Amino acid sequence: MNIASHYKLLHFIPWTRTKIYKMLLLSTIPTVLFYFLDIKWLAIPWVPVALLGTATAFISGFKNTQTYNRMWEARQIYGAIINSSRALGIMVKDFVRTSDKVEQAALHKEIIYRHFAWLTALRFQLRETKSWENIKTKSYNKEYLQYYQVPEWESNLDEELKTFLSAEERQYILSTKNRATQTIARQSSQLKTLNERGIISDYNYVALANQLKDLYDQQGKCERIKNFPYPRQFSSINLYFTNLFCILLPLGFIGEFSKLTEKFGESMVWLTIPFSIILGWVFLVLEQIGESTENPFEGGANDIPITQISRNIEIDLREMLGEKDLPPAISAQHTIVL
């Protein structure tokens, strides 16, 4: 997530420079052929270009709207995880009661720390790279990684879980396929045991079980976004329309500017190049921005800051436990927070 007021051109232009090079090539070649070799058929009417441009604008707007909705839904999900985590913290503090205060404090810590393990396992799962994601495959995205680091790519889940789980439980969780799911399953198993021992009343046990169910719901929503890409048919048609429009755009400009040669001279046709670059760049950048917003958990600069959110939850719940030695909040790297 970028927390600056906007992207600076110093960063935005290099990120999209390949689009500028592409339009420079697509506009220069037909202009040179038209001007020097007098290939008149390259000048096409503006009407078909305008119609294609309208269709391209429509499909680009549709894609960007839908990818933004995916990103915003992901942010809402993690907002719900914040609320559910805090609710779980106060329920554990108030519902898990024993006559032995030392045992009670140990149980509170064990249950809440297991929740930290769930948050950790979930964010590691969400940062796994899928075949359709582009953060590691597109050159312009890979270059932008120089401005920040993805914590889940730099650290190890095993090491992260050592702080929150016993060695035995950690090894069990790591041996499973869906670590986050099995962490909540272990959480539920312990709550059931505490209920059977009378440490948690039946009514409070049901309330805590509902909190775990809500966490499962939020996890499932995250997995739905993570494991189901933006539909490929819509992504493909947007790519095809945009590229076809950018190919025809210079030809339409040649046709329009060639009409002005009698009044202003033949050099007017060279305006095709700058105007094509500017307008083509706009459409290509719209396509690129939509692509970069498709997958809000992949590790891009515009992703949901799940690492920061998880750390903030950890700080809140550690304070509920009365701890003073708190981990530092996640700070921005070049205005980017993950």
Side-chain angles (χ1 to χ4, degrees):
M1 177 182 69
N2 193 313
I3 61 173
S5 60
H6 63 279
Y7 278 104
K8 296 180 180 178
L9 287 177
L10 177 66
H11 299 145
F12 195 76
I13 293 299
W15 184 60
T16 61
R17 70 180 185 277
T18 57
K19 310 303 183 187
I20 298 174
Y21 299 155
K22 181 176 182 177
M23 286 311 304
L24 177 63
L25 183 65
L26 288 175
S27 59
T28 300
I29 292 175
T31 304
V32 169
L33 294 175
F34 180 87
Y35 187 83
F36 290 108
L37 301 182
D38 202 32
I39 303 179
K40 298 298 185 182
W41 60 264
L42 288 173
I44 65 175
W46 183 253
V47 173
V49 180
L51 290 174
L52 180 59
T54 302
T56 304
F58 174 80
I59 195 66
S60 292
F62 175 80
K63 177 181 180 179
N64 281 21
T65 299
Q66 297 308 311
T67 55
Y68 174 82
N69 287 340
R70 283 169 62 88
M71 181 191 70
W72 184 241
E73 182 185 4
R75 182 60 187 89
Q76 289 179 308
I77 293 168
Y78 255 82
I81 289 175
I82 294 173
N83 297 337
S84 295
S85 298
R86 290 169 177 166
L88 179 66
I90 60 173
M91 285 181 176
V92 169
K93 286 276 292 180
D94 294 342
F95 294 172
V96 179
R97 297 190 295 261
T98 68
S99 57
D100 186 341
K101 298 303 179 184
V102 175
E103 181 189 14
Q104 178 176 289
L107 287 173
H108 291 170
K109 182 176 180 179
E110 182 180 359
I111 295 170
I112 289 178
Y113 270 45
R114 189 179 291 112
H115 182 67
F116 298 157
W118 174 77
L119 290 169
T120 303
L122 179 60
R123 62 183 174 87
F124 268 83
Q125 289 174 197
L126 295 177
R127 293 291 193 213
E128 292 175 358
T129 303
K130 299 293 184 179
S131 60
W132 56 82
E133 294 177 344
N134 53 71
I135 188 64
K136 292 183 177 179
T137 57
K138 300 293 185 179
S139 59
Y140 44 79
N141 285 335
K142 288 193 290 185
E143 288 180 2
Y144 208 79
L145 286 172
Q146 65 181 298
Y147 297 109
Y148 65 94
Q149 291 181 329
V150 181
E152 291 73 23
W153 298 350
E154 303 296 325
S155 58
N156 180 276
L157 179 59
D158 187 12
E159 291 298 320
E160 295 261 355
L161 292 180
K162 283 182 179 179
T163 308
F164 308 129
L165 300 176
S166 65
E168 180 184 354
E169 186 171 2
R170 187 178 76 253
Q171 291 305 316
Y172 168 75
I173 294 299
L174 292 173
S175 69
T176 60
K177 185 176 181 179
N178 191 319
R179 281 80 179 262
T181 295
Q182 299 309 319
T183 302
I184 292 185
R186 292 291 290 250
Q187 194 83 286
S188 178
S189 179
Q190 183 181 23
L191 294 179
K192 177 185 176 183
T193 300
L194 295 177
N195 172 249
E196 292 172 346
R197 290 174 54 192
I199 294 176
I200 303 176
S201 68
D202 290 343
Y203 179 83
N204 291 340
Y205 171 67
V206 171
L208 284 167
N210 284 333
Q211 283 302 116
L212 297 185
K213 177 184 178 298
D214 182 69
L215 292 173
Y216 262 148
D217 288 342
Q218 304 309 326
Q219 178 185 331
K221 292 175 182 178
C222 288
E223 291 170 340
R224 181 186 67 212
I225 295 174
K226 177 68 177 181
N227 298 325
F228 186 83
Y230 178 73
R232 299 295 87 186
Q233 66 272 29
F234 290 107
S235 180
S236 298
I237 197 172
N238 184 72
L239 184 65
Y240 298 152
F241 277 25
T242 302
N243 283 313
L244 180 59
F245 174 71
C246 289
I247 291 171
L248 295 181
L249 183 62
L251 307 184
F253 273 132
I254 288 174
E256 291 301 306
F257 287 121
S258 63
K259 298 175 183 178
L260 303 177
T261 55
E262 292 184 3
K263 186 175 181 181
F264 298 102
E266 293 185 359
S267 59
M268 289 297 296
V269 77
W270 290 104
L271 289 176
T272 295
I273 296 176
F275 278 90
S276 295
I277 291 174
I278 293 171
L279 189 57
W281 178 78
V282 169
F283 277 83
L284 289 171
V285 167
L286 280 173
E287 197 278 330
Q288 184 170 320
I289 288 175
E291 179 188 65
S292 69
T293 315
E294 287 180 13
N295 309 300
F297 297 124
E298 66 177 330
N302 302 301
D303 281 8
I304 306 306
I306 60 178
T307 308
Q308 182 202 47
I309 292 172
S310 297
R311 177 60 59 81
N312 290 342
I313 293 172
E314 182 181 346
I315 292 171
D316 287 345
L317 269 60
R318 280 177 179 267
E319 286 187 319
M320 288 184 188
L321 291 173
E323 296 184 8
K324 301 299 181 183
D325 186 16
L326 304 175
I330 302 295
S331 57
Q333 308 170 55
H334 296 95
T335 72
I336 295 171
V337 181
L338 290 180

